[in-house]
Amino acid sequence: MTLQWFLSSTVRQAAALARHVEKLLNHQRDILSPQAVEAVRGGIHQLRQALAAKLKRDALQSEMRHLDTLAGKWLKPYPHAAWRENVEVLLVALTVAMGIRTFFLQPFKIPTGSMQPTLFGVTSINLEQEPGFKPPAGLERVREWFAGVSYIKVVAGNDGALDAVQPPIRFLIFNIKQTLYIGGRPYTIWFPPDYGAYSLEQRAGIQLGQRFRAGDTVVNVRVDAGDHLFVDRLTYNFRAPERGEIIVFETKGIPEERRERFRIPGDQFYIKRLVGLSGERIQIGEDRHLIINGKRQDASSPHFERVYSFEPQEPPRDSHYSGYVDGPQLAPFFVANNGTVEIPPDDFMVMGDNTVNSLDSRAWGPFPSKYVIGKAFFVYWPITDRFGWGYHR
């Protein structure tokens, strides 16, 4: 039967017909008469016996016509049957997708630069401040698109003030369009990029009420997409998170008074590197290395090879590996605790790899481990040297 199914389209059609009619029979069994149920069941059984007996094509097609006749006679027709079936397939697909998202892999995009240069958030350049720059064309532009680079340029066609900048209109995970209004006239940007933690106005250096003349450049920015990755939601059901892994957690786990102090929304997800575990004593050394329970961490510590790859003589820099920077501005929680933090039971501490530009546990302290939803798994967009699994080693 298996070999026949691969070799004969008639066998495949017959098997599909038997399954389809049986499905309809099961759906309608409670509203059909016993005579109807028995007749249709008999036709299904007869077709399956023909398949098992490996009848020739003409005989098999005859049995298929017989079952089709029985189904037409005894089963109740569905209005808009094609639509019903398409909706059913769509609902099943959505259910499977939601199940995968909830229990296995969840897509996640990085909005800020707190994990750079390991993982990149959305960055941009205001090209009005780069005189003479021209976006590439041809194959180079295609290459940049795969690298997540977008260019946005809007030139005013009339005199007037910037009246409004609407947020992008979204469909599923895609931005479809965004509209600006200058002197009441709309200007549409199709498929705008994700701006991350900032708005178009902030990235383009414009503000509402600003006046433009016809021919003025209103927006001229290059936007580099933040890394999009899958979060592994399965592994931590079988083992505890390990130090050095890049984890994703819910911000509502950060104590409310600390969230309010640093204006952290309670309904977002953050991605950071796990540096401190339950019950540990953690310090930031003067050499920018963490000290865990009195033991100095270094480049030989698993998952910290890149974090501690900096040159000690060089000062900390944005978006470079610079170790873990201390001080009242970046690490007020440590300062308030005389430089040593005792992590409560069932709590974690996390820090970004870009420690001169990361709001993390140095500022707001530990949070309950139950708010961890998973670990970084696979960067699927854009296609850069961070694509794949190897970015977090």
Side-chain angles (χ1 to χ4, degrees):
M1 173 65 181
T2 303
L3 184 60
Q4 267 195 312
W5 190 91
F6 281 107
L7 297 178
S8 171
S9 61
T10 303
V11 169
R12 293 195 295 272
Q13 291 167 6
L17 176 63
R19 287 195 303 271
H20 180 66
V21 174
E22 185 175 46
K23 176 182 170 183
L24 294 177
L25 177 62
N26 290 334
H27 286 177
Q28 299 183 14
R29 188 180 295 272
D30 59 337
I31 61 173
L32 296 176
S33 67
Q35 181 186 8
V37 172
E38 192 60 33
V40 177
R41 278 176 53 188
I44 295 170
H45 180 68
Q46 197 169 321
L47 178 56
R48 285 180 171 158
Q49 279 191 321
L51 283 167
K54 300 180 181 180
L55 297 183
K56 291 185 177 180
R57 178 182 176 186
D58 290 345
L60 197 55
Q61 288 179 335
S62 176
E63 292 296 339
M64 291 168 64
R65 287 193 294 271
H66 176 63
L67 178 57
D68 188 56
T69 300
L70 288 173
K73 177 179 179 181
W74 295 109
L75 295 179
K76 297 184 180 299
Y78 285 112
H80 312 297
W83 277 101
R84 290 172 65 96
E85 187 150 338
N86 288 335
V87 170
E88 184 177 291
V89 170
L90 178 61
L91 289 175
V92 170
L94 288 174
T95 301
V96 171
M98 291 301 295
I100 291 173
R101 176 188 175 93
T102 302
F103 299 107
F104 298 96
L105 295 174
Q106 177 175 335
F108 179 82
K109 60 187 178 183
I110 299 180
T112 69
S114 69
M115 283 300 295
Q116 293 174 190
T118 306
L119 294 166
F120 273 62
V122 181
T123 58
S124 65
I125 300 173
N126 186 348
L127 297 178
E128 287 302 288
Q129 299 173 1
E130 301 287 332
F133 178 86
K134 291 184 178 180
L139 290 177
E140 179 62 18
R141 181 67 195 95
V142 173
R143 187 196 67 78
E144 281 201 345
W145 184 85
F146 279 104
V149 177
S150 301
Y151 292 93
I152 308 172
K153 187 168 185 178
V154 176
V155 176
N158 62 296
D159 296 348
L162 181 63
D163 302 321
V165 180
Q166 294 183 343
I169 295 174
R170 297 180 61 80
F171 176 73
L172 299 178
I173 63 172
F174 304 102
N175 287 339
I176 303 301
K177 71 172 185 176
Q178 184 175 24
T179 305
L180 321 177
Y181 290 88
I182 300 173
R185 176 176 169 180
Y187 292 81
T188 298
I189 302 168
W190 291 101
F191 304 107
D194 189 330
Y195 303 123
Y198 301 97
S199 65
L200 173 61
E201 301 97 290
Q202 290 169 307
R203 294 207 177 270
I206 57 177
Q207 55 187 351
L208 296 181
Q210 183 175 347
R211 297 197 64 82
F212 296 94
R213 299 181 65 85
D216 286 350
T217 299
V218 182
V219 176
N220 189 16
V221 295
R222 165 189 160 131
V223 179
D224 288 72
D227 289 333
H228 292 56
L229 53 84
F230 288 118
V231 178
D232 172 5
R233 300 197 64 157
L234 183 65
T235 296
Y236 291 158
N237 292 316
F238 300 97
R239 68 163 176 85
E242 298 175 357
R243 187 192 331 281
E245 292 182 324
I246 298 174
I247 63 172
V248 176
F249 59 94
E250 298 176 275
T251 54
K252 67 181 179 182
I254 301 171
E256 185 175 359
E257 66 277 7
R258 299 176 202 162
R259 286 206 318 267
E260 291 178 353
R261 177 181 175 186
F262 296 103
R263 299 180 180 178
I264 300 172
D267 59 352
Q268 293 187 0
F269 297 98
Y270 275 5
I271 182 167
K272 308 285 182 184
R273 193 178 296 276
L274 177 59
V275 299
L277 305 177
S278 171
E280 293 183 333
R281 187 177 71 257
I282 185 169
Q283 301 166 281
I284 302 175
E286 293 182 1
D287 60 357
R288 292 180 261 154
H289 287 243
L290 294 181
I291 302 170
I292 309 292
N293 291 337
K295 182 180 178 181
R296 178 180 179 272
Q297 306 294 295
D298 56 31
S300 67
S301 305
H303 304 294
F304 288 89
E305 298 87 349
R306 295 179 180 176
V307 176
Y308 294 127
S309 64
F310 65 96
E311 289 293 333
Q313 298 81 10
E314 293 185 2
R317 290 186 294 160
D318 189 9
S319 298
H320 287 76
Y321 294 118
S322 302
Y324 292 105
V325 182
D326 199 0
Q329 297 299 318
L330 292 169
F333 193 83
F334 279 82
V335 172
N337 286 274
N338 298 316
T340 301
V341 175
E342 300 276 353
I343 303 177
D346 300 319
D347 276 18
F348 286 154
M349 291 193 76
V350 293
M351 296 183 189
D353 286 358
N354 187 14
T355 57
V356 299
N357 191 11
S358 173
L359 179 62
D360 51 39
S361 286
R362 293 171 301 160
W364 40 257
F367 69 96
S369 58
K370 67 181 181 180
Y371 290 100
V372 174
I373 68 164
K375 66 171 185 170
F377 176 64
F378 185 94
V379 173
Y380 64 88
W381 181 261
I383 312 299
T384 65
D385 56 0
R386 297 182 301 282
F387 178 84
W389 286 278
Y391 61 92
H392 55 71
R393 292 176 184 168

